Amino acid sequence: MEIKLLLHYGELFLKKKNRRDFIRQLEQNVIHTLKAFRLDLNVKHDSMTVTNFSLDEKPLIIEALQNISGLKLISEVVSVAPDLEYLNKVILKIVREMPIKTFKVVTRRKDKSFPLNSDQINRHIATNLLKNTPLKVNIHTPDYFLRVQILHDEMFFITKQHDGLGGYPLGSAGKALLLLSGGIDSPVAGFLTLRRGIKLEAIHFASPPYTSKEVIDKIKSLLRKLNVYQAEIVLHTVPFTELQLEIYKYVPESYAITIIRRMMMRISSEVMKKRRAKALVTGESLGQVASQTLESLAVINSVTNVPIIRPLATLDKVDIVNIAKKIDTYKISILPYEDMCTIFPNTNPVTKPREHLAESYESNFDYASLIKKAIEETLREVIKIEVDPLL
């Protein structure tokens, strides 16, 4: 008898011809994540098996695996030789210690040469438990699903299962640039993008001296939460003060936010291309604020032709907050440090801007040279998990 961890793939079954590449990427990610542990990894077309680990380290290993995109489930299994009677003894011993009253046996017979089919195995195991314990069978709402797998050279009894992130392996879907403001939404958008296998770099627009160093610390703290899912993330900090002051000098207040967003898109698109990323990612949710109406998004998008991913577009704020709490970014996001979007007044932002008006207001000042300067002075830093001043 041996304790193992069985790793079930997420949506890789959809990939068909590319499945092998996705599994190879997932294997590399698992090996990298578990490099601190001494263990073995066996990779198959439909699952991976982790063996030869210390039982004391098992909780830490499972926790690490739960943060790897591309894994749907992590199962704790007892592996025995392909002997049904011996499997019965093992199951009986383990189940007797469980605080349950009802069960249902579910067998997956991968080895089709095994003399009993899945239903016969279910009945065989259930009969043994009914004879030797006070447990009852409940096929509809059991207290416990007793899951068994029959392989060619071993049998698995799955004792416990843990949810994984699902999605695709990180790095299997390219790289994107995340516009990170410091609020609740953009870190959640980053997490959902990582979960789809897209690696991230981040870009933040700062307006010193109007914004403080604490804002940058906040941004780094948020990225360290995302480091749980991607070990290192490059942060691009753009000095936006001059450009923002010019906007408020030459643009009507109602159009200021629209023009600011257009400038952000122009700068982000250039940084994205220089970093060989394939898309921009934003935390915008439809209708949440004035700049996120369909009309506003259309005018803002018109300055670039790069793909823009909006993972939160149709989510309610409650849903977004729940995800933020789950990934532990919420408490950091609500810290009261003013970012560049809040330091200047904007009491009446337009909700249905017109592109020709936006272009007319932009023609009042030389934004192109200011954009070039901002990009040239952008600071770049690699963020990874370390001592965090905000935690």
Side-chain angles (χ1 to χ4, degrees):
M1 185 178 75
E2 184 180 3
I3 306 299
K4 299 183 179 182
L5 295 176
L6 183 62
L7 314 184
H8 309 262
Y9 303 151
E11 300 177 42
L12 302 193
F13 67 91
L14 298 173
K15 287 302 170 182
K16 296 183 180 179
K17 293 182 180 179
N18 295 326
R19 183 185 178 108
R20 183 176 299 175
D21 293 334
F22 276 65
I23 293 175
R24 187 179 298 114
Q25 180 67 64
L26 181 57
E27 177 186 6
Q28 292 174 1
N29 295 348
V30 171
I31 291 172
H32 178 76
T33 300
L34 300 182
K35 63 183 179 181
F37 303 97
R38 291 188 175 184
L39 44 75
D40 294 327
L41 181 67
N42 182 27
V43 181
K44 297 182 179 179
H45 75 284
D46 61 347
S47 63
M48 297 181 187
T49 308
V50 179
T51 59
N52 296 327
F53 52 85
S54 165
L55 292 182
D56 292 337
E57 293 178 331
K58 184 176 69 171
L60 295 175
I61 294 171
I62 292 172
E63 182 180 359
L65 290 168
Q66 286 183 290
N67 294 324
I68 299 177
S69 57
L71 294 179
K72 179 182 179 182
L73 285 172
I74 299 97
S75 297
E76 299 182 44
V77 305
V78 175
S79 171
V80 302
D83 181 335
L84 191 54
E85 294 307 320
Y86 180 57
L87 178 64
N88 264 331
K89 293 179 181 178
V90 171
I91 291 175
L92 179 61
K93 180 180 179 181
I94 294 174
V95 170
R96 273 177 170 166
E97 299 176 359
M98 292 182 174
I100 60 174
K101 295 181 179 180
T102 61
F103 69 94
K104 177 182 179 179
V105 183
V106 180
T107 298
R108 183 181 179 191
R109 189 181 59 142
K110 291 185 176 182
D111 177 15
K112 301 304 181 183
S113 67
F114 195 79
L116 301 180
N117 62 33
S118 295
D119 185 61
Q120 290 171 324
I121 296 170
N122 291 342
R123 293 176 182 275
H124 191 85
I125 294 172
T127 299
N128 183 58
L129 289 176
L130 292 172
K131 285 182 178 179
N132 295 285
T133 72
L135 299 178
K136 303 294 182 183
V137 171
N138 184 333
I139 63 173
H140 299 296
T141 56
D143 295 335
Y144 181 70
F145 283 93
L146 199 161
R147 303 181 188 277
V148 171
Q149 287 191 14
I150 307 298
L151 286 71
H152 178 70
D153 55 352
E154 62 183 331
M155 293 178 172
F156 285 162
F157 168 38
I158 299 175
T159 58
K160 192 173 183 179
Q161 292 188 311
H162 309 268
D163 289 333
L165 281 183
Y168 297 131
L170 183 65
S172 63
K175 181 170 69 174
L177 182 65
L178 170 67
L179 279 71
L180 189 62
S181 68
I184 296 171
D185 299 339
S186 50
V188 174
F191 164 73
L192 294 176
T193 303
L194 289 170
R195 188 175 173 272
R196 304 309 295 172
I198 299 174
K199 280 191 171 182
L200 289 180
E201 294 192 8
I203 185 168
H204 175 71
F205 294 85
S207 291
Y210 301 99
T211 55
S212 64
K213 178 183 178 296
E214 284 77 9
V215 176
I216 303 301
D217 290 338
K218 179 180 179 180
I219 292 297
K220 293 178 181 179
S221 295
L222 289 170
L223 287 176
R224 290 188 186 104
K225 293 298 182 182
L226 296 181
N227 283 146
V228 172
Y229 313 100
Q230 180 180 320
E232 296 185 351
I233 302 175
V234 176
L235 170 63
H236 306 267
T237 303
V238 181
F240 202 69
T241 309
E242 288 187 54
L243 192 46
Q244 191 170 7
L245 290 174
E246 288 294 287
I247 291 171
Y248 278 96
K249 181 178 179 181
Y250 291 104
V251 175
E253 184 179 319
S254 62
Y255 264 77
I257 291 297
T258 300
I259 303 304
I260 285 173
R261 299 295 186 191
R262 284 164 63 90
M263 297 301 165
M264 287 180 172
M265 282 297 172
R266 289 183 171 106
I267 293 172
S268 298
S269 298
E270 291 303 312
V271 173
M272 184 205 86
K273 293 172 184 176
K274 286 186 176 183
R275 299 297 294 175
R276 298 183 179 179
K278 302 299 182 184
L280 299 177
V281 179
T282 78
E284 293 162 320
S285 178
L286 281 174
Q288 190 165 269
V289 295
S291 63
Q292 295 176 15
T293 63
L294 282 177
E295 291 86 354
S296 290
L297 292 178
V299 173
I300 293 168
N301 280 16
S302 65
V303 302
T304 184
N305 59 1
V306 304
I308 300 174
I309 302 172
R310 294 183 171 90
L312 312 185
T314 61
L315 295 186
D316 293 336
K317 191 66 176 184
V318 172
D319 298 326
I320 297 170
V321 168
N322 286 339
I323 298 173
K325 290 179 178 179
K326 178 181 177 181
I327 63 175
D328 202 24
T329 58
Y330 179 75
K331 291 181 180 179
I332 299 173
S333 292
I334 62 174
L335 289 173
Y337 303 134
E338 291 183 320
D339 61 28
M340 57 82 57
C341 295
T342 61
I343 56 177
F344 294 102
N346 199 308
T347 57
N348 189 30
V350 62
T351 58
K352 295 182 179 181
R354 298 291 180 261
E355 186 174 352
H356 71 279
L357 288 177
E359 291 173 346
S360 175
Y361 297 140
E362 289 173 343
S363 69
N364 292 334
F365 64 103
D366 182 15
Y367 66 82
S369 62
L370 292 172
I371 285 177
K372 181 180 179 183
K373 182 181 179 184
I375 293 174
E376 289 174 349
E377 295 178 357
T378 294
L379 298 178
R380 186 178 304 132
E381 182 178 356
V382 177
I383 307 301
K384 52 189 175 182
I385 294 177
E386 55 185 36
V387 177
D388 196 321
L390 295 185
L391 297 181

